[in-house]
């Protein structure tokens, strides 16, 4: 059974709102307990951006035609260099202790940046192609 374009967009929009609620709730809980962010709050925020981007892209990606494949290809290619840039910036910041993050926080930050970069690049490239 195939999902119609409106139903697919609504699903991703609803999921994005749900993830936004979760990320705000978890961030508020972290702040109110006096602790710093744990890491999973950022992953929920990245999932929020991903769902909103997929809501926008659903009509184009459901076709799985040459255009959507090209958008995915180019998006992954561009994202690769941004992700390398994030790592190049994070390494000296962590090494010189300008920022102090645990291993879990660092991986969560990189995962969030990766999710946001990949899906944002899909949206930008969908307007270009």
């Amino acid at each position: 059974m195939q999902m119609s374009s409106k139903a697919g967009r609504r699903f991703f929009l609803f999921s994005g709102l749900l993830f936004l609620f979760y990320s705000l709730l978890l961030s508020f809980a972290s702040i109110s307990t006096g602790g710093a962010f744990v890491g999973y709050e950022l992953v929920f925020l990245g999932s929020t951006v991903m769902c909103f981007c997929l809501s926008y892209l659903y009509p184009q990606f459901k076709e799985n035609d040459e255009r959507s494949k090209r958008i995915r290809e180019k998006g992954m290619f561009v994202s690769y260099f941004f992700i390398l840039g994030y790592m190049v910036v994070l390494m000296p910041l962590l090494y010189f202790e300008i920022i102090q993050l645990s291993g879990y926080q660092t991986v969560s930050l990189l995962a969030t940046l990766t999710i946001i970069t990949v899906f944002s690049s899909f949206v930008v490239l969908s307007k270009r192609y």
Side-chain angles (χ1 to χ4, degrees):
M1 186 166 87
Q2 266 189 322
M3 225 187 289
S4 73
S5 181
K6 276 195 181 243
R9 288 184 97 163
R10 285 185 188 147
F11 171 76
F12 285 119
L13 187 62
F14 174 76
S15 298
L17 291 171
L18 190 64
F19 279 124
L20 179 62
F21 173 73
Y22 286 154
S23 65
L24 290 174
L25 182 69
L26 291 170
S27 297
F28 178 74
S30 291
I31 291 169
S32 66
T33 58
F37 81 97
V38 178
Y40 51 78
E41 305 94 340
L42 291 177
V43 176
F44 275 106
L45 184 64
S47 300
T48 300
V49 172
M50 177 186 71
C51 286
F52 287 142
C53 288
L54 286 173
S55 172
Y56 175 79
L57 293 167
Y58 183 79
Q60 299 160 30
F61 278 10
K62 79 171 186 164
E63 300 298 323
N64 203 22
D65 58 355
E66 193 61 36
R67 179 177 175 264
S68 67
K69 288 178 185 175
R70 183 167 174 84
I71 291 169
R72 286 187 190 115
E73 252 178 46
K74 290 278 190 182
M76 292 302 290
F77 181 75
V78 169
S79 297
Y80 172 76
F81 292 102
F82 275 97
I83 294 163
L84 280 177
Y86 299 147
M87 290 182 201
V88 166
V89 168
L90 270 176
M91 280 191 279
L93 290 176
L94 292 168
Y95 181 78
F96 294 114
E97 296 179 2
I98 296 169
I99 59 172
Q100 293 190 355
L101 299 173
S102 70
Y104 183 78
Q105 289 171 326
T106 305
V107 170
S108 295
L109 179 62
L110 279 174
T112 302
L113 289 171
T114 300
I115 292 168
I116 290 172
T117 303
V118 167
F119 288 95
S120 298
S121 69
F122 288 170
V123 170
V124 170
L125 291 168
S126 74
K127 293 177 185 264
R128 186 172 178 194
Y129 293 110

